[in-house]
Amino acid sequence: MSRSFTPPDTLSKEDIRTIADVRRDIWTNGFKGLVGGLMSGYVIHTVGQFWHSRLSEATKMKLHVPGDAPFKFSRNTAFLSVMVGGAVGSFGMATAAGKNRVHKLHDIYDVGKTPTGTDYQKQIAQAQLDDKADRKERRLKRRATVKKLIEEGHGLSDSHGGQWVAESNDQQERRMQRRAKMKNFIEEEHGLSDSHGGQWAQENGDGSK
């Protein structure tokens, strides 16, 4: 049985899922490249055959090595073109997919790896792994805390004791009265300050106030 069906115990479910996703992407892109390469090979062979048929006999004789039979397009050349196109397309697309997704496997490469080097280097490597695990744990705890605060109606800061401030009926009524008063001032052409006796200053014909 393939080892892909029996992963080691050192891999988590997330690691196994990541490996499976990368493998599936490589196979999928490989098949896409195969289909595209087969079609490209056939098109190239057809175009080449059409171009070759338009050449003169003298030019055709120059395209082959002296002493050999003249080059001719046939079923063999069509089969060769299609197979080469499919191979190149499949290899290119699969390789590109693997290089674009290899960054997802960097952390998995270090899982279960036996540290090498001096004792100091081993301690540094272990400290880095522990620090990475601690940062991940703290990040998950912060997310859970923020989610709990929002669900319980608490704010994210310590202002007002972390509680959302609810306005009372008196506060809402005073705010509505202030808005109505300001609207009346503006409609009656009164200013919002005490300058000019609270009246808008009128300009004279010469531009002076």
Side-chain angles (χ1 to χ4, degrees), residues 45 47 65 71 91 94 118-119 122 167 189 194:
H45 181 270
V47 173
V65 179
F71 179 80
F91 175 77
T118 63
D119 293 338
K122 292 179 181 179
E167 291 186 346
E189 298 185 354
D194 293 333

Side-chain angles (χ1 to χ4, degrees), residues 15 26 43 65 68 77 82 100 108 117 131 156 164-165 169 185-186 196:
D15 294 337
I26 293 175
V43 171
V65 179
D68 293 342
T77 57
V82 171
N100 290 334
I108 300 177
D131 184 63
L156 301 181
W164 300 110
V165 179
N169 294 331
F185 276 144
I186 294 174
H196 307 289

Side-chain angles (χ1 to χ4, degrees), residues 39-167:
M39 297 175 63
S40 300
Y42 178 77
V43 171
I44 292 173
H45 181 270
T46 303
V47 173
Q49 187 177 13
F50 174 77
W51 172 78
H52 188 265
S53 64
R54 300 291 298 271
L55 297 177
S56 62
E57 293 297 331
T59 306
K60 292 179 181 179
M61 294 299 294
K62 295 179 181 179
L63 295 177
H64 74 282
V65 179
D68 293 342
F71 179 80
K72 293 182 179 180
F73 284 88
S74 61
R75 292 182 179 180
N76 292 334
T77 57
F79 180 78
L80 178 63
S81 299
V82 171
M83 290 296 101
V84 171
V88 173
S90 177
F91 175 77
M93 290 289 289
T95 303
K99 289 184 177 295
N100 290 334
R101 291 162 179 77
V102 69
H103 64 91
K104 297 181 179 180
L105 304 178
H106 287 167
D107 295 336
I108 300 177
Y109 291 153
D110 297 332
V111 175
K113 183 175 68 175
T114 302
T116 57
T118 63
D119 293 338
Y120 176 76
Q121 291 174 337
K122 292 179 181 179
Q123 292 176 1
I124 293 297
Q126 185 62 37
Q128 291 177 348
L129 293 176
D130 294 341
D131 184 63
K132 183 177 181 180
D134 292 340
R135 289 200 304 270
K136 183 177 181 180
E137 184 178 359
R138 290 195 300 269
R139 185 168 63 251
L140 294 176
K141 288 182 178 179
R142 284 197 300 270
R143 290 179 180 177
T145 303
V146 171
K147 182 179 179 182
K148 182 179 179 181
L149 289 174
I150 294 176
E151 290 177 348
E152 294 179 354
H154 293 281
L156 301 181
S157 65
D158 294 332
S159 61
H160 306 288
Q163 298 286 342
W164 300 110
V165 179
E167 291 186 346

